Amino acid sequence: MGVIPWVSWYALRRYSAYPLGSAAEAVTNTFFGVMRASVLLALWRARPGLGGYDATDAVTFSFLTQALIGPVQIFGGMELGQRIRTGDVAIDLHRPVDLQAWWLADDIGRAVSTLLLRGLPPMLVGGLLFTLRWPGPGTAAAFAASVGLAVLLSFALRYLITLSMFWLHDERGVQAVALVLSLFLSGMLVPLVAFPGALGEIARALPWSGLVQVPADVYLGRRTGDGLAAALGFQAAWAAGLLAAGRLLTRVAQRRLEAQGG
């Protein structure tokens, strides 16, 4: 096994090591899924067909987004931030593996673990309590691809934010702003289809929409054919651009570390 696959496998085992903690988080996600589903049901009863969704779509969206909280890491940053703060990142930079690739591999293992342990329970319980929409095999495969791209995009965004610590020495302010943007512009709180006019168009054009709204639309069958290709291309393009920016910023940060630390 190569170094990068090993990092992902190790991360998967590490993040799966505390099943009771994951179960508690799954219960929390499910509880808030029920609350959000009830709120959205009331909204869609008052505004039927809002944004092209029906009530079943809205309820499914609630539990689907709760399932995606962990994999796309809406809340929380990266362990790399702590290593930059303590200076341990100097050890990471001396590994015979690219810094960005190492932490991407770690994040993939984390995402798979949270998807299995924290993502499936909300959907299963939601299916018992409400009428949810379930995808066919083709839609399920497209959704899996979209979730994979969402994880990649999430990492690219969080990696850039974490690298800001090389200059700011404390990323909490940036993290707070990023959290607000992620919550409102990803579709996590309210589907972006409910945003009016130009506000909705702008929100759907920004990278955060690729974290939740795009995978949800794929799952609900709202993206098919050319629309599906465009949706996946949107996620891939933003992920590629942000990863490239992260690679460039890593080189700048490494030169800064060498200049300061010798």
Side-chain angles (χ1 to χ4, degrees):
M1 181 182 291
V3 174
I4 295 303
W6 178 86
V7 173
S8 290
W9 173 245
Y10 177 78
L12 174 61
R13 294 181 59 187
R14 181 160 62 97
Y15 286 102
S16 304
Y18 301 98
L20 289 180
S22 296
E25 292 173 339
V27 170
T28 302
N29 285 348
T30 303
F31 173 76
F32 280 102
V34 173
M35 288 184 58
R36 293 181 62 227
S38 301
V39 171
L40 289 186
L41 265 180
L43 175 61
W44 255 260
R45 283 170 182 158
R47 297 281 304 277
L50 178 62
Y53 279 22
D54 59 22
T56 300
D57 290 333
V59 172
T60 302
F61 185 93
S62 298
F63 287 99
L64 191 60
T65 52
Q66 291 299 127
L68 290 175
I69 284 178
V72 301
Q73 195 78 331
I74 292 293
F75 302 98
M78 295 178 60
E79 187 180 337
L80 174 60
Q82 177 65 23
R83 295 184 67 81
I84 295 174
R85 185 180 297 111
T86 61
D88 289 339
V89 69
I91 299 173
D92 298 344
L93 290 170
H94 280 87
R95 291 191 182 115
V97 181
D98 179 76
L99 181 72
Q100 188 183 46
W102 176 284
W103 286 102
L104 174 57
D106 180 86
D107 203 58
I108 290 172
R110 177 205 58 77
V112 172
S113 172
T114 54
L115 179 63
L116 295 175
L117 297 177
R118 295 172 52 187
L120 291 180
M123 293 297 295
L124 296 176
V125 174
L128 294 175
L129 299 178
F130 299 87
T131 300
L132 301 187
R133 199 173 301 285
W134 301 100
T139 301
F143 173 68
S146 184
V147 169
L149 289 170
V151 169
L152 195 62
L153 178 55
S154 168
F155 168 80
L157 285 165
R158 288 180 289 112
Y159 184 77
L160 280 172
I161 292 168
T162 302
L163 287 184
S164 69
M165 282 195 62
F166 279 104
W167 290 269
L168 301 177
H169 307 298
D170 190 336
E171 86 283 20
R172 284 177 294 184
V174 180
Q175 288 280 14
V177 173
L179 175 59
V180 172
L181 292 174
S182 296
L183 284 173
F184 284 95
L185 297 179
S186 68
M188 184 68 238
L189 294 181
V190 178
L192 298 184
V193 297
F195 283 25
L199 177 60
E201 294 179 7
I202 293 172
R204 288 189 289 271
L206 294 173
W208 291 277
S209 67
L211 302 181
V212 173
Q213 185 66 54
V214 172
D217 281 343
V218 171
Y219 180 95
L220 295 171
R222 292 171 55 86
R223 301 295 187 99
T224 59
D226 291 342
L228 174 60
L232 298 180
F234 170 83
Q235 290 178 290
W238 268 115
L242 292 172
L243 286 171
R247 180 166 294 277
L248 177 61
L249 197 60
T250 300
R251 293 174 182 171
V252 176
Q254 187 171 1
R255 287 197 295 269
R256 176 181 176 82
L257 184 66
E258 289 174 348
Q260 290 187 344

